[in-house]
């Protein structure tokens, strides 16, 4: 019998209200059934939202340093369980163990960062325009927050939200992606052990269109944080808009690495290998376009092709494998579709492009690391997010043209330039339209204490990570204290 996992609502582990379940399988071996999870209903969401609303009454009154202390403890438990969690994550998500350990470490870093943030959460005081009057402003929690997350960073992304959200005094209804529910349950277990009280954190598993939609629509949910595709994000935004809810959107990317002729070529090569094929290209910040200056175009491609040919594809739990499986069948079909479009539109597939052969690969959703050359900026594979190990190489003749190509997509998450020319680097930092720009480093590698997010169709102006996430998880309260003993009329008596 497969292991049966549950929701956690109002301090109790429980099944879906109609007992429905869905399966969670290993993408490197679909015969490996990890377990079943509740296919929950809107009734379950309703219970979770009510429980979070009740719990908020007390949780908001617990001093922020004490809430931070719970996060710090959670970080310590995660540290002790790091290897175990990484193994669980690799089994359900596929990326190699070194990467899943990194994903857990990001959760630990966020826990420790947010733990101490409970002692800051600074407010701002200003002088009053009237005598004997004091002006203060400080952060207050919002209430019940809905959290909807994708599968590619099953620990990091939930912790980027839950830890700061809890420290700020909010309570949660959390719906993780259907492909990575086990890691999400471990996070809930850890927070329970760390001391999160009944009702403060609720997890409801299930389909996005049922559970996700019910969270967004629920009247007790005051704010929604969504990370996922731009298509779903726009629906979430519309639903939140008509209900006047706060919404934080972290969506797709089409990130480019620029390589100028004066760059350290080895460094740029290692950068694109990691940026494009790490996590099998399934990162929102993955390098999916490589913009090469014409002076180094041919030589760089030759070296890149020979390096990509050495990448070892396979089950991420086996040491030495560098490129794990695609998350599921639907996503692999989508990648195959884009490869066909690339060929049909005239791009040149110089390596990869197929499902790899091999006895150890035949039961998993593997796909070969793929490079297209002769890509023009307007081709579909240079414009749309593929979310797989597919790199489109585009030729440029100048820095200005490289930046124009980099900016010529609807997204604006991450970006990178390799150059030894400080002036070129600074122009790129200034002119690239993206939430993140790396100089002489790949498009991936965000740190927990820095703002994370994108411009244009990637986001809606909010940032996760660092101090900026508290702008989403708090409201400002302005307080005027008049100790003059008589009526003072602002804008009239002064
Ligand atoms: P997705 O949009 O299909 O799903 C994301 C989440 O939304 C899942 O939990 C899903 O169940 C839920 N959902 C689906 N339909 C919904 C609905 N109608 N209402 C509410 N919730 C709904 O995305 P995915 O395939 O899981 O993730 C891949 C995408 O996520 C890529 O586009 C990637 O770029 C993006 N992503 C962005 C960031 C970022 O920070 N910018 C980080 C990671 C992933």
């Amino acid at each position: 019998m497969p292991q049966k996992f549950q929701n956690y609502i109002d301090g109790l582990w429980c099944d879906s209200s109609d007992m429905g379940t869905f399966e969670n399988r290993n993408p490197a071996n679909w015969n490996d059934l990890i377990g079943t999870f509740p296919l929950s209903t809107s009734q379950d969401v309703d219970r979770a939202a009510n429980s979070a609303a009740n719990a908020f009454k007390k949780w908001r009154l617990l001093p922020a340093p004490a809430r931070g202390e719970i996060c710090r403890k959670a970080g310590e438990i995660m540290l002790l369980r790091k290897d175990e969690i990484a193994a669980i994550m690799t089994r359900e998500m596929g990326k190699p163990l070194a990467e899943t350990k990194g994903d857990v470490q990001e959760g630990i870093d966020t826990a420790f960062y947010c733990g101490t943030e409970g002692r800051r959460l600074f407010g701002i005081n200003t002088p009053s325009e009237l005598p004997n009057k004091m002006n203060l402003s400080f952060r207050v929690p919002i209430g019940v927050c809905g959290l909807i997350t994708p599968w590619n960073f099953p620990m990091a992304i939930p912790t980027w939200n839950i830890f700061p959200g809890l420290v700020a005094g909010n309570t949660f209804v959390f719906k993780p992606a259907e492909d990575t529910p086990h890691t999400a349950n471990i996070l809930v277990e850890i927070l329970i052990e760390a001391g999160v009280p009944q009702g403060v954190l609720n997890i409801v598993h299930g389909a996005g269109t049922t559970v996700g939609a019910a969270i967004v629509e629920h009247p007790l949910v005051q704010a929604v944080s969504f990370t996922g595709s731009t298509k779903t994000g726009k629906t979430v935004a519309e639903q939140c808009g008509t209900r006047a809810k706060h919404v934080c959107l972290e969506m797709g990317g089409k990130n480019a690495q620029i390589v100028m002729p004066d760059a350290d070529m080895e460094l740029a090569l290692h950068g694109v290998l990691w940026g494009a094929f790490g996590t099998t290209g399934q990162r929102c910040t993955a390098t999916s376009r490589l913009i090469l200056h014409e002076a180094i175009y041919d030589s760089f491609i030759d070296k890149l092709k020979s390096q990509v040919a050495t990448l070892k594809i396979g089950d991420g739990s086996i040491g030495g494998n560098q490129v794990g499986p695609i998350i599921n069948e639907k996503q692999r079909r989508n990648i195959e579709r884009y490869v066909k479009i690339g060929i049909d539109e005239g791009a040149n597939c110089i390596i990869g492009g197929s499902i790899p052969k091999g006895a150890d690969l035949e039961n998993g959703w593997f796909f070969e690391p793929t490079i297209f050359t002769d890509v023009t900026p307007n081709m579909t594979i240079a414009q749309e997010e593929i979310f797989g190990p597919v790199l489109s190489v585009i030729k440029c003749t100048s820095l200005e043209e490289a930046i124009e190509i980099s900016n010529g997509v609807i997204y604006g998450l991450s970006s990178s330039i390799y150059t030894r020319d400080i002036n070129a680097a600074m122009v790129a930092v200034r002119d690239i339209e993206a939430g993140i720009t790396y100089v002489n480093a790949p498009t991936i590698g965000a740190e927990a204490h820095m703002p994370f997010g994108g411009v244009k169709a990637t986001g809606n102006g909010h940032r996760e990570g660092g101090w900026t996430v508290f702008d989403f998880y708090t409201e400002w309260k302005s307080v005027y204290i008049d100790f003059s003993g008589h009526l003072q009329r602002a804008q009239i008596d002064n």
Side-chain angles (χ1 to χ4, degrees):
M1 283 292 283
Q3 196 177 346
K4 188 175 169 209
F5 294 86
Q6 293 181 302
N7 290 329
Y8 187 72
I9 300 174
D10 204 16
L12 290 174
W13 291 101
C14 53
D15 295 320
S16 152
S17 60
D18 69 1
M19 300 305 284
T21 59
F22 66 94
E23 289 184 344
N24 180 19
R25 287 181 182 269
N26 182 343
N29 173 14
W30 52 65
N31 296 321
D32 175 20
L33 177 59
I34 295 163
T36 63
F37 286 79
L39 189 63
S40 309
T41 64
S42 55
Q43 251 179 292
D44 298 314
V45 172
D46 185 48
R47 280 208 309 121
N50 275 288
S51 129
N54 278 334
F56 177 67
K57 293 174 196 159
K58 275 195 186 164
W59 180 248
R60 73 182 187 89
L61 299 178
L62 190 71
R67 297 191 299 247
E69 183 57 16
I70 292 175
C71 282
R72 190 191 60 75
K73 276 191 199 147
E76 277 172 4
I77 300 167
M78 282 171 91
L79 192 55
L80 291 173
R81 295 183 64 180
K82 183 173 169 180
D83 288 352
E84 174 214 343
I85 302 169
I88 286 169
M89 198 192 297
T90 291
R91 187 176 170 205
E92 70 174 350
M93 189 274 163
K95 59 189 173 187
L97 282 174
E99 292 191 37
T100 48
K101 282 183 196 165
D103 195 322
V104 181
Q105 187 58 47
E106 203 156 334
I108 296 165
D109 295 343
T110 304
F112 292 158
Y113 178 77
C114 290
T116 59
E117 201 58 41
R119 291 190 178 272
R120 284 185 291 266
L121 286 180
F122 296 127
I124 296 170
N125 304 327
T126 70
S128 169
E129 63 189 44
L130 290 162
N132 297 318
K133 193 176 169 195
M134 198 177 277
N135 292 358
L136 315 172
S137 67
F138 50 92
R139 293 180 185 275
V140 293
I142 302 170
V144 179
C145 298
L147 173 62
I148 301 170
T149 56
W151 44 265
N152 61 341
F153 279 86
M155 187 58 91
I157 293 175
T159 58
W160 285 354
N161 287 274
I162 292 174
F163 290 152
L166 290 180
V167 170
N170 303 289
T171 57
F172 276 93
V173 180
F174 169 32
K175 191 211 96 65
E178 297 91 307
D179 287 300
T180 50
H182 194 182
T183 308
N185 268 23
I186 304 270
L187 174 59
V188 173
E189 261 174 48
I190 287 172
L191 275 158
I192 296 167
E193 190 184 336
V196 164
Q198 175 185 348
V200 167
L201 174 61
N202 304 272
I203 186 166
V204 186
H205 293 283
T209 45
T210 316
V211 176
I215 290 174
V216 172
E217 287 162 19
H218 201 286
L220 289 175
V221 174
Q222 307 288 320
V224 176
S225 174
F226 168 85
T227 304
S229 61
T230 298
K231 185 168 174 271
T232 311
K234 282 183 177 168
T235 308
V236 168
E238 275 170 28
Q239 295 302 319
C240 287
T242 58
R243 291 167 177 81
K245 291 186 184 190
H246 299 220
V247 59
C248 173
L249 302 173
E250 297 288 351
M251 304 179 285
K254 190 71 188 172
N255 317 291
Q257 173 178 318
I258 297 171
V259 185
M260 297 304 289
D262 59 29
D264 177 332
M265 291 303 149
E266 282 301 305
L267 191 65
L269 196 62
H270 290 137
V272 70
L273 275 171
W274 176 228
F277 304 113
T279 324
T280 321
Q282 301 172 110
R283 286 188 184 223
C284 49
T285 52
T287 309
S288 70
R289 295 178 297 153
L290 175 64
I291 304 172
L292 291 179
H293 193 276
E294 59 181 354
I296 43 112
Y297 186 84
D298 292 332
S299 60
F300 196 92
I301 287 172
D302 284 349
K303 283 190 198 144
L304 180 60
K305 186 179 169 187
S306 57
Q307 290 283 322
V308 168
T310 67
L311 290 176
K312 202 152 168 10
I313 308 171
D315 184 333
S317 67
I318 297 170
N321 286 338
Q322 294 160 289
V323 182
I326 304 303
I327 189 70
N328 55 36
E329 182 177 16
K330 184 172 163 227
Q331 184 55 18
R332 185 167 78 172
R333 284 225 187 97
N334 197 38
I335 295 166
E336 286 183 287
R337 185 175 69 81
Y338 275 112
V339 168
K340 186 172 178 312
I341 291 172
I343 292 166
D344 290 349
E345 290 186 6
N348 187 12
C349 184
I350 59 163
I351 190 165
S354 308
I355 294 170
K357 307 268 182 302
D360 52 341
L361 302 178
E362 64 190 17
N363 294 325
W365 306 117
F366 295 97
F367 198 83
E368 291 173 340
T370 302
I371 302 176
F372 277 100
T373 59
D374 304 316
V375 177
T376 55
N378 292 329
M379 282 183 183
T380 307
I381 57 168
Q383 287 291 321
E384 296 184 10
E385 185 183 50
I386 301 174
F387 225 59
V390 180
L391 180 69
S392 299
V393 189
I394 305 169
K395 194 186 281 185
C396 71
T397 55
S398 65
L399 175 67
E400 291 66 33
E401 191 192 357
I403 294 173
E404 197 181 315
I405 295 168
S406 183
N407 290 345
V409 292
I410 60 165
Y411 299 107
L413 182 52
S414 189
S415 56
S416 148
I417 180 164
Y418 282 76
T419 178
R420 288 186 173 108
D421 177 346
I422 182 74
N423 294 349
M426 295 315 293
V427 169
V429 165
R430 187 191 61 195
D431 292 346
I432 290 179
E433 296 165 356
I436 307 167
T437 298
Y438 292 90
V439 177
N440 294 325
T443 59
I444 64 181
E447 298 178 24
H449 54 294
M450 283 284 282
F452 181 90
V455 302
K456 303 200 289 192
T458 296
N460 65 338
H462 293 288
R463 290 291 181 272
E464 290 175 331
W467 62 98
T468 42
V469 70
F470 290 96
D471 291 335
F472 179 70
Y473 280 109
T474 56
E475 296 266 23
W476 281 98
K477 165 76 70 88
S478 296
V479 180
Y480 300 94
I481 303 168
D482 190 321
F483 49 98
S484 67
H486 58 90
L487 174 67
Q488 300 197 89
R489 297 174 302 173
Q491 294 91 40
I492 296 171
D493 292 339
N494 51 322

